[in-house]
Amino acid sequence: MNQVQNKFVQYNDQRNSQLLYTPTKEVKDVSSQEIKDLIEQMKEVLKSNTGVGIAANQLGKNVQIFAIRYKAPENQASPLPKELSEDIPLQYFINPRITLKSDDLVYFWHGCLSALDMPLGKVATNKWIEYTAFNESGNQITGRLDGLSAIIFQHEFRHLLGGLYFEYAVDFKTPKELKESFSNGREKIYQIIMNPSGVKPILYNYELNEAISY
């Protein structure tokens, strides 16, 4: 296992992979030093890696907290879709719940810091979600996320529920294959699903307002 993989629990690590498939525990004290230290660790991880989100169980901590952030690439040869052209500031979500979600679904190509040897997977998520959670200051927050921020939130929320993106993917491609598919128009990086009936999104078995139960 290389140095990058050593930072994250991997799905195929027989010693620790159960952490990625076990529902996470509620944080009892959102202002505790333990949570502050974990938040600082997440910040450092996202600074030093290309990932756009990280959940606590990927770092070996079985608690309900994740972080998301995204820096839009500059000097692109071709314009990015609107959903990928805006930065997403670093945000933390502790004990999150989804309170409302769209009927519309979108496809996006997912990878994961806990599945570094897996190809990218085409996964369905709800186009937008509304949520409640606690932030890094211990304050309760609510909000609505759309586009890429909603996708990343749902990917990380799946981690807290237990499970990974590739269990919900309808297609797989290596980065090289995907780049070729984008260039010749066979695939889109962000695609609204015109007929979502029968499509299983990554959070298909989550009930709105439900607390994650360990």
PDB file of all heavy atoms in Angstrom, residues 95-102 126 128-133 140-145 153-154 157 203 206-211:
ATOM      1  N   ASN A  95     -23.384  15.286  12.385  1.00  0.00           N
ATOM      2  CA  ASN A  95     -24.721  14.711  12.602  1.00  0.00           C
ATOM      3  C   ASN A  95     -25.723  15.206  11.550  1.00  0.00           C
ATOM      4  O   ASN A  95     -26.818  15.683  11.883  1.00  0.00           O
ATOM      5  CB  ASN A  95     -25.251  15.046  14.000  1.00  0.00           C
ATOM      6  CG  ASN A  95     -24.382  14.467  15.104  1.00  0.00           C
ATOM      7  OD1 ASN A  95     -23.611  13.538  14.889  1.00  0.00           O
ATOM      8  ND2 ASN A  95     -24.505  15.015  16.298  1.00  0.00           N
ATOM      9  N   PRO A  96     -25.387  15.109  10.280  1.00  0.00           N
ATOM     10  CA  PRO A  96     -26.281  15.660   9.249  1.00  0.00           C
ATOM     11  C   PRO A  96     -27.527  14.797   9.030  1.00  0.00           C
ATOM     12  O   PRO A  96     -27.507  13.581   9.262  1.00  0.00           O
ATOM     13  CB  PRO A  96     -25.399  15.644   7.993  1.00  0.00           C
ATOM     14  CG  PRO A  96     -24.490  14.465   8.215  1.00  0.00           C
ATOM     15  CD  PRO A  96     -24.191  14.472   9.702  1.00  0.00           C
ATOM     16  N   ARG A  97     -28.572  15.456   8.603  1.00  0.00           N
ATOM     17  CA  ARG A  97     -29.780  14.786   8.111  1.00  0.00           C
ATOM     18  C   ARG A  97     -30.202  15.493   6.825  1.00  0.00           C
ATOM     19  O   ARG A  97     -30.017  16.703   6.690  1.00  0.00           O
ATOM     20  CB  ARG A  97     -30.931  14.858   9.117  1.00  0.00           C
ATOM     21  CG  ARG A  97     -30.673  14.181  10.443  1.00  0.00           C
ATOM     22  CD  ARG A  97     -31.931  14.140  11.278  1.00  0.00           C
ATOM     23  NE  ARG A  97     -31.686  13.655  12.632  1.00  0.00           N
ATOM     24  CZ  ARG A  97     -32.635  13.312  13.500  1.00  0.00           C
ATOM     25  NH1 ARG A  97     -33.918  13.428  13.137  1.00  0.00           N
ATOM     26  NH2 ARG A  97     -32.336  12.885  14.703  1.00  0.00           N
ATOM     27  N   ILE A  98     -30.769  14.742   5.911  1.00  0.00           N
ATOM     28  CA  ILE A  98     -31.354  15.328   4.707  1.00  0.00           C
ATOM     29  C   ILE A  98     -32.844  15.494   4.952  1.00  0.00           C
ATOM     30  O   ILE A  98     -33.532  14.523   5.297  1.00  0.00           O
ATOM     31  CB  ILE A  98     -31.077  14.442   3.474  1.00  0.00           C
ATOM     32  CG1 ILE A  98     -29.562  14.394   3.213  1.00  0.00           C
ATOM     33  CG2 ILE A  98     -31.811  14.983   2.245  1.00  0.00           C
ATOM     34  CD1 ILE A  98     -29.162  13.451   2.095  1.00  0.00           C
ATOM     35  N   THR A  99     -33.334  16.705   4.795  1.00  0.00           N
ATOM     36  CA  THR A  99     -34.727  16.998   5.115  1.00  0.00           C
ATOM     37  C   THR A  99     -35.629  17.061   3.887  1.00  0.00           C
ATOM     38  O   THR A  99     -36.845  16.935   3.998  1.00  0.00           O
ATOM     39  CB  THR A  99     -34.817  18.341   5.868  1.00  0.00           C
ATOM     40  OG1 THR A  99     -34.222  19.379   5.063  1.00  0.00           O
ATOM     41  CG2 THR A  99     -34.071  18.255   7.189  1.00  0.00           C
ATOM     42  N   LEU A 100     -35.035  17.279   2.710  1.00  0.00           N
ATOM     43  CA  LEU A 100     -35.812  17.362   1.473  1.00  0.00           C
ATOM     44  C   LEU A 100     -34.871  17.057   0.316  1.00  0.00           C
ATOM     45  O   LEU A 100     -33.675  17.360   0.396  1.00  0.00           O
ATOM     46  CB  LEU A 100     -36.409  18.762   1.312  1.00  0.00           C
ATOM     47  CG  LEU A 100     -37.582  18.934   0.326  1.00  0.00           C
ATOM     48  CD1 LEU A 100     -38.786  18.105   0.778  1.00  0.00           C
ATOM     49  CD2 LEU A 100     -37.968  20.410   0.227  1.00  0.00           C
ATOM     50  N   LYS A 101     -35.400  16.452  -0.734  1.00  0.00           N
ATOM     51  CA  LYS A 101     -34.563  16.148  -1.898  1.00  0.00           C
ATOM     52  C   LYS A 101     -35.401  16.240  -3.163  1.00  0.00           C
ATOM     53  O   LYS A 101     -36.627  16.085  -3.130  1.00  0.00           O
ATOM     54  CB  LYS A 101     -33.941  14.759  -1.787  1.00  0.00           C
ATOM     55  CG  LYS A 101     -34.947  13.624  -1.669  1.00  0.00           C
ATOM     56  CD  LYS A 101     -34.249  12.292  -1.436  1.00  0.00           C
ATOM     57  CE  LYS A 101     -35.275  11.173  -1.274  1.00  0.00           C
ATOM     58  NZ  LYS A 101     -34.617   9.865  -1.029  1.00  0.00           N
ATOM     59  N   SER A 102     -34.736  16.515  -4.268  1.00  0.00           N
ATOM     60  CA  SER A 102     -35.435  16.665  -5.545  1.00  0.00           C
ATOM     61  C   SER A 102     -35.861  15.311  -6.090  1.00  0.00           C
ATOM     62  O   SER A 102     -35.262  14.268  -5.796  1.00  0.00           O
ATOM     63  CB  SER A 102     -34.509  17.340  -6.561  1.00  0.00           C
ATOM     64  OG  SER A 102     -33.418  16.483  -6.871  1.00  0.00           O
ATOM     65  N   ASN A 126     -29.484  12.817  -6.200  1.00  0.00           N
ATOM     66  CA  ASN A 126     -30.544  13.812  -6.342  1.00  0.00           C
ATOM     67  C   ASN A 126     -29.935  15.143  -6.769  1.00  0.00           C
ATOM     68  O   ASN A 126     -28.845  15.503  -6.329  1.00  0.00           O
ATOM     69  CB  ASN A 126     -31.300  13.974  -5.031  1.00  0.00           C
ATOM     70  CG  ASN A 126     -32.049  12.711  -4.646  1.00  0.00           C
ATOM     71  OD1 ASN A 126     -31.515  11.877  -3.917  1.00  0.00           O
ATOM     72  ND2 ASN A 126     -33.252  12.549  -5.147  1.00  0.00           N
ATOM     73  N   TRP A 128     -30.757  18.222  -6.118  1.00  0.00           N
ATOM     74  CA  TRP A 128     -30.555  19.123  -4.986  1.00  0.00           C
ATOM     75  C   TRP A 128     -31.062  18.463  -3.714  1.00  0.00           C
ATOM     76  O   TRP A 128     -31.895  17.542  -3.752  1.00  0.00           O
ATOM     77  CB  TRP A 128     -31.220  20.491  -5.189  1.00  0.00           C
ATOM     78  CG  TRP A 128     -32.707  20.469  -5.458  1.00  0.00           C
ATOM     79  CD1 TRP A 128     -33.328  20.574  -6.663  1.00  0.00           C
ATOM     80  CD2 TRP A 128     -33.765  20.343  -4.484  1.00  0.00           C
ATOM     81  NE1 TRP A 128     -34.688  20.509  -6.515  1.00  0.00           N
ATOM     82  CE2 TRP A 128     -34.983  20.379  -5.191  1.00  0.00           C
ATOM     83  CE3 TRP A 128     -33.799  20.203  -3.105  1.00  0.00           C
ATOM     84  CZ2 TRP A 128     -36.224  20.265  -4.550  1.00  0.00           C
ATOM     85  CZ3 TRP A 128     -35.025  20.083  -2.459  1.00  0.00           C
ATOM     86  CH2 TRP A 128     -36.216  20.132  -3.191  1.00  0.00           C
ATOM     87  N   ILE A 129     -30.534  18.936  -2.606  1.00  0.00           N
ATOM     88  CA  ILE A 129     -30.981  18.444  -1.299  1.00  0.00           C
ATOM     89  C   ILE A 129     -31.051  19.618  -0.327  1.00  0.00           C
ATOM     90  O   ILE A 129     -30.395  20.646  -0.527  1.00  0.00           O
ATOM     91  CB  ILE A 129     -30.054  17.336  -0.740  1.00  0.00           C
ATOM     92  CG1 ILE A 129     -28.605  17.846  -0.602  1.00  0.00           C
ATOM     93  CG2 ILE A 129     -30.108  16.091  -1.591  1.00  0.00           C
ATOM     94  CD1 ILE A 129     -28.228  18.291   0.777  1.00  0.00           C
ATOM     95  N   GLU A 130     -31.873  19.459   0.704  1.00  0.00           N
ATOM     96  CA  GLU A 130     -31.863  20.369   1.841  1.00  0.00           C
ATOM     97  C   GLU A 130     -31.450  19.566   3.071  1.00  0.00           C
ATOM     98  O   GLU A 130     -31.734  18.372   3.167  1.00  0.00           O
ATOM     99  CB  GLU A 130     -33.229  21.021   2.038  1.00  0.00           C
ATOM    100  CG  GLU A 130     -33.597  21.942   0.882  1.00  0.00           C
ATOM    101  CD  GLU A 130     -34.918  22.677   1.075  1.00  0.00           C
ATOM    102  OE1 GLU A 130     -35.546  22.512   2.162  1.00  0.00           O
ATOM    103  OE2 GLU A 130     -35.323  23.408   0.158  1.00  0.00           O
ATOM    104  N   TYR A 131     -30.774  20.210   3.993  1.00  0.00           N
ATOM    105  CA  TYR A 131     -30.177  19.476   5.098  1.00  0.00           C
ATOM    106  C   TYR A 131     -30.263  20.263   6.399  1.00  0.00           C
ATOM    107  O   TYR A 131     -30.490  21.477   6.421  1.00  0.00           O
ATOM    108  CB  TYR A 131     -28.696  19.194   4.806  1.00  0.00           C
ATOM    109  CG  TYR A 131     -27.855  20.448   4.765  1.00  0.00           C
ATOM    110  CD1 TYR A 131     -27.308  20.983   5.934  1.00  0.00           C
ATOM    111  CD2 TYR A 131     -27.641  21.149   3.573  1.00  0.00           C
ATOM    112  CE1 TYR A 131     -26.565  22.156   5.899  1.00  0.00           C
ATOM    113  CE2 TYR A 131     -26.904  22.324   3.543  1.00  0.00           C
ATOM    114  CZ  TYR A 131     -26.372  22.815   4.712  1.00  0.00           C
ATOM    115  OH  TYR A 131     -25.652  23.988   4.687  1.00  0.00           O
ATOM    116  N   THR A 132     -30.034  19.548   7.491  1.00  0.00           N
ATOM    117  CA  THR A 132     -29.752  20.154   8.784  1.00  0.00           C
ATOM    118  C   THR A 132     -28.541  19.439   9.356  1.00  0.00           C
ATOM    119  O   THR A 132     -28.333  18.241   9.103  1.00  0.00           O
ATOM    120  CB  THR A 132     -30.964  20.049   9.737  1.00  0.00           C
ATOM    121  OG1 THR A 132     -30.644  20.677  10.977  1.00  0.00           O
ATOM    122  CG2 THR A 132     -31.337  18.595  10.004  1.00  0.00           C
ATOM    123  N   ALA A 133     -27.713  20.169  10.094  1.00  0.00           N
ATOM    124  CA  ALA A 133     -26.483  19.603  10.653  1.00  0.00           C
ATOM    125  C   ALA A 133     -25.945  20.582  11.693  1.00  0.00           C
ATOM    126  O   ALA A 133     -26.536  21.637  11.947  1.00  0.00           O
ATOM    127  CB  ALA A 133     -25.450  19.371   9.550  1.00  0.00           C
ATOM    128  N   GLN A 140     -26.082  24.751  15.063  1.00  0.00           N
ATOM    129  CA  GLN A 140     -26.966  24.036  14.142  1.00  0.00           C
ATOM    130  C   GLN A 140     -27.186  24.888  12.901  1.00  0.00           C
ATOM    131  O   GLN A 140     -27.395  26.106  12.997  1.00  0.00           O
ATOM    132  CB  GLN A 140     -28.297  23.708  14.797  1.00  0.00           C
ATOM    133  CG  GLN A 140     -29.156  22.764  13.945  1.00  0.00           C
ATOM    134  CD  GLN A 140     -30.292  22.144  14.729  1.00  0.00           C
ATOM    135  OE1 GLN A 140     -30.719  22.680  15.743  1.00  0.00           O
ATOM    136  NE2 GLN A 140     -30.782  21.010  14.259  1.00  0.00           N
ATOM    137  N   ILE A 141     -27.119  24.235  11.748  1.00  0.00           N
ATOM    138  CA  ILE A 141     -27.259  24.944  10.474  1.00  0.00           C
ATOM    139  C   ILE A 141     -28.264  24.204   9.604  1.00  0.00           C
ATOM    140  O   ILE A 141     -28.493  22.997   9.766  1.00  0.00           O
ATOM    141  CB  ILE A 141     -25.912  25.052   9.733  1.00  0.00           C
ATOM    142  CG1 ILE A 141     -25.285  23.663   9.544  1.00  0.00           C
ATOM    143  CG2 ILE A 141     -24.966  25.975  10.473  1.00  0.00           C
ATOM    144  CD1 ILE A 141     -24.039  23.644   8.674  1.00  0.00           C
ATOM    145  N   THR A 142     -28.862  24.931   8.688  1.00  0.00           N
ATOM    146  CA  THR A 142     -29.713  24.341   7.664  1.00  0.00           C
ATOM    147  C   THR A 142     -29.309  24.953   6.332  1.00  0.00           C
ATOM    148  O   THR A 142     -28.718  26.037   6.285  1.00  0.00           O
ATOM    149  CB  THR A 142     -31.211  24.614   7.925  1.00  0.00           C
ATOM    150  OG1 THR A 142     -31.431  26.034   7.929  1.00  0.00           O
ATOM    151  CG2 THR A 142     -31.656  24.018   9.250  1.00  0.00           C
ATOM    152  N   GLY A 143     -29.647  24.288   5.247  1.00  0.00           N
ATOM    153  CA  GLY A 143     -29.289  24.847   3.951  1.00  0.00           C
ATOM    154  C   GLY A 143     -29.784  23.990   2.811  1.00  0.00           C
ATOM    155  O   GLY A 143     -30.380  22.925   3.009  1.00  0.00           O
ATOM    156  N   ARG A 144     -29.529  24.485   1.627  1.00  0.00           N
ATOM    157  CA  ARG A 144     -29.889  23.793   0.393  1.00  0.00           C
ATOM    158  C   ARG A 144     -28.658  23.772  -0.503  1.00  0.00           C
ATOM    159  O   ARG A 144     -27.958  24.789  -0.645  1.00  0.00           O
ATOM    160  CB  ARG A 144     -31.041  24.512  -0.310  1.00  0.00           C
ATOM    161  CG  ARG A 144     -31.437  23.908  -1.668  1.00  0.00           C
ATOM    162  CD  ARG A 144     -32.564  24.720  -2.281  1.00  0.00           C
ATOM    163  NE  ARG A 144     -32.860  24.321  -3.645  1.00  0.00           N
ATOM    164  CZ  ARG A 144     -34.034  23.854  -4.059  1.00  0.00           C
ATOM    165  NH1 ARG A 144     -35.036  23.724  -3.210  1.00  0.00           N
ATOM    166  NH2 ARG A 144     -34.237  23.527  -5.310  1.00  0.00           N
ATOM    167  N   LEU A 145     -28.375  22.630  -1.091  1.00  0.00           N
ATOM    168  CA  LEU A 145     -27.241  22.470  -1.989  1.00  0.00           C
ATOM    169  C   LEU A 145     -27.730  21.966  -3.334  1.00  0.00           C
ATOM    170  O   LEU A 145     -28.625  21.119  -3.407  1.00  0.00           O
ATOM    171  CB  LEU A 145     -26.228  21.482  -1.410  1.00  0.00           C
ATOM    172  CG  LEU A 145     -25.602  21.848  -0.066  1.00  0.00           C
ATOM    173  CD1 LEU A 145     -24.732  20.711   0.441  1.00  0.00           C
ATOM    174  CD2 LEU A 145     -24.807  23.139  -0.159  1.00  0.00           C
ATOM    175  N   PHE A 153     -21.943  16.224  -1.178  1.00  0.00           N
ATOM    176  CA  PHE A 153     -22.627  15.991   0.094  1.00  0.00           C
ATOM    177  C   PHE A 153     -23.195  14.577   0.131  1.00  0.00           C
ATOM    178  O   PHE A 153     -23.018  13.851   1.125  1.00  0.00           O
ATOM    179  CB  PHE A 153     -23.739  17.024   0.267  1.00  0.00           C
ATOM    180  CG  PHE A 153     -24.466  16.961   1.595  1.00  0.00           C
ATOM    181  CD1 PHE A 153     -24.195  17.891   2.583  1.00  0.00           C
ATOM    182  CD2 PHE A 153     -25.432  15.987   1.830  1.00  0.00           C
ATOM    183  CE1 PHE A 153     -24.869  17.849   3.801  1.00  0.00           C
ATOM    184  CE2 PHE A 153     -26.111  15.922   3.046  1.00  0.00           C
ATOM    185  CZ  PHE A 153     -25.825  16.854   4.034  1.00  0.00           C
ATOM    186  N   GLN A 154     -23.879  14.168  -0.931  1.00  0.00           N
ATOM    187  CA  GLN A 154     -24.503  12.845  -0.942  1.00  0.00           C
ATOM    188  C   GLN A 154     -23.468  11.718  -0.972  1.00  0.00           C
ATOM    189  O   GLN A 154     -23.670  10.666  -0.355  1.00  0.00           O
ATOM    190  CB  GLN A 154     -25.458  12.742  -2.128  1.00  0.00           C
ATOM    191  CG  GLN A 154     -26.701  13.616  -1.965  1.00  0.00           C
ATOM    192  CD  GLN A 154     -27.523  13.701  -3.236  1.00  0.00           C
ATOM    193  OE1 GLN A 154     -28.288  12.790  -3.563  1.00  0.00           O
ATOM    194  NE2 GLN A 154     -27.368  14.796  -3.966  1.00  0.00           N
ATOM    195  N   PHE A 157     -22.283  11.575   2.577  1.00  0.00           N
ATOM    196  CA  PHE A 157     -23.363  11.075   3.427  1.00  0.00           C
ATOM    197  C   PHE A 157     -23.468   9.561   3.297  1.00  0.00           C
ATOM    198  O   PHE A 157     -23.737   8.860   4.277  1.00  0.00           O
ATOM    199  CB  PHE A 157     -24.676  11.747   3.009  1.00  0.00           C
ATOM    200  CG  PHE A 157     -25.765  11.663   4.045  1.00  0.00           C
ATOM    201  CD1 PHE A 157     -25.933  12.687   4.968  1.00  0.00           C
ATOM    202  CD2 PHE A 157     -26.631  10.593   4.091  1.00  0.00           C
ATOM    203  CE1 PHE A 157     -26.949  12.622   5.912  1.00  0.00           C
ATOM    204  CE2 PHE A 157     -27.645  10.515   5.036  1.00  0.00           C
ATOM    205  CZ  PHE A 157     -27.811  11.540   5.949  1.00  0.00           C
ATOM    206  N   LEU A 203     -28.316   7.337  -2.437  1.00  0.00           N
ATOM    207  CA  LEU A 203     -28.998   7.358  -1.135  1.00  0.00           C
ATOM    208  C   LEU A 203     -30.404   6.790  -1.236  1.00  0.00           C
ATOM    209  O   LEU A 203     -31.307   7.204  -0.507  1.00  0.00           O
ATOM    210  CB  LEU A 203     -29.048   8.788  -0.584  1.00  0.00           C
ATOM    211  CG  LEU A 203     -27.698   9.471  -0.348  1.00  0.00           C
ATOM    212  CD1 LEU A 203     -27.897  10.861   0.240  1.00  0.00           C
ATOM    213  CD2 LEU A 203     -26.805   8.644   0.568  1.00  0.00           C
ATOM    214  N   TYR A 206     -32.313   5.847   2.038  1.00  0.00           N
ATOM    215  CA  TYR A 206     -32.341   6.783   3.162  1.00  0.00           C
ATOM    216  C   TYR A 206     -33.704   7.464   3.224  1.00  0.00           C
ATOM    217  O   TYR A 206     -34.180   8.009   2.215  1.00  0.00           O
ATOM    218  CB  TYR A 206     -31.239   7.837   3.023  1.00  0.00           C
ATOM    219  CG  TYR A 206     -31.314   8.904   4.083  1.00  0.00           C
ATOM    220  CD1 TYR A 206     -30.883   8.646   5.386  1.00  0.00           C
ATOM    221  CD2 TYR A 206     -31.840  10.170   3.801  1.00  0.00           C
ATOM    222  CE1 TYR A 206     -30.970   9.612   6.369  1.00  0.00           C
ATOM    223  CE2 TYR A 206     -31.929  11.142   4.778  1.00  0.00           C
ATOM    224  CZ  TYR A 206     -31.490  10.855   6.062  1.00  0.00           C
ATOM    225  OH  TYR A 206     -31.606  11.816   7.036  1.00  0.00           O
ATOM    226  N   GLU A 207     -34.304   7.458   4.410  1.00  0.00           N
ATOM    227  CA  GLU A 207     -35.585   8.144   4.627  1.00  0.00           C
ATOM    228  C   GLU A 207     -35.337   9.571   5.101  1.00  0.00           C
ATOM    229  O   GLU A 207     -34.510   9.814   5.983  1.00  0.00           O
ATOM    230  CB  GLU A 207     -36.410   7.395   5.679  1.00  0.00           C
ATOM    231  CG  GLU A 207     -36.827   5.990   5.266  1.00  0.00           C
ATOM    232  CD  GLU A 207     -37.820   5.971   4.128  1.00  0.00           C
ATOM    233  OE1 GLU A 207     -38.583   6.969   3.988  1.00  0.00           O
ATOM    234  OE2 GLU A 207     -37.869   4.976   3.378  1.00  0.00           O
ATOM    235  N   LEU A 208     -36.043  10.530   4.492  1.00  0.00           N
ATOM    236  CA  LEU A 208     -35.859  11.926   4.846  1.00  0.00           C
ATOM    237  C   LEU A 208     -36.020  12.153   6.357  1.00  0.00           C
ATOM    238  O   LEU A 208     -36.884  11.555   7.010  1.00  0.00           O
ATOM    239  CB  LEU A 208     -36.865  12.802   4.108  1.00  0.00           C
ATOM    240  CG  LEU A 208     -36.660  12.933   2.589  1.00  0.00           C
ATOM    241  CD1 LEU A 208     -37.757  13.777   1.977  1.00  0.00           C
ATOM    242  CD2 LEU A 208     -35.288  13.517   2.260  1.00  0.00           C
ATOM    243  N   ASN A 209     -35.157  13.014   6.898  1.00  0.00           N
ATOM    244  CA  ASN A 209     -35.166  13.387   8.314  1.00  0.00           C
ATOM    245  C   ASN A 209     -34.718  12.272   9.244  1.00  0.00           C
ATOM    246  O   ASN A 209     -34.768  12.425  10.468  1.00  0.00           O
ATOM    247  CB  ASN A 209     -36.548  13.886   8.765  1.00  0.00           C
ATOM    248  CG  ASN A 209     -36.790  15.325   8.382  1.00  0.00           C
ATOM    249  OD1 ASN A 209     -35.988  16.198   8.723  1.00  0.00           O
ATOM    250  ND2 ASN A 209     -37.878  15.583   7.694  1.00  0.00           N
ATOM    251  N   GLU A 210     -34.284  11.171   8.680  1.00  0.00           N
ATOM    252  CA  GLU A 210     -33.891  10.034   9.509  1.00  0.00           C
ATOM    253  C   GLU A 210     -32.491  10.244  10.069  1.00  0.00           C
ATOM    254  O   GLU A 210     -31.561  10.608   9.347  1.00  0.00           O
ATOM    255  CB  GLU A 210     -33.922   8.754   8.646  1.00  0.00           C
ATOM    256  CG  GLU A 210     -33.626   7.484   9.416  1.00  0.00           C
ATOM    257  CD  GLU A 210     -33.720   6.280   8.508  1.00  0.00           C
ATOM    258  OE1 GLU A 210     -33.019   6.244   7.472  1.00  0.00           O
ATOM    259  OE2 GLU A 210     -34.486   5.359   8.847  1.00  0.00           O
ATOM    260  N   ALA A 211     -32.324   9.996  11.354  1.00  0.00           N
ATOM    261  CA  ALA A 211     -30.995  10.021  11.964  1.00  0.00           C
ATOM    262  C   ALA A 211     -30.270   8.743  11.564  1.00  0.00           C
ATOM    263  O   ALA A 211     -30.874   7.674  11.469  1.00  0.00           O
ATOM    264  CB  ALA A 211     -31.095  10.118  13.472  1.00  0.00           C
TER     265      ALA A 211
END
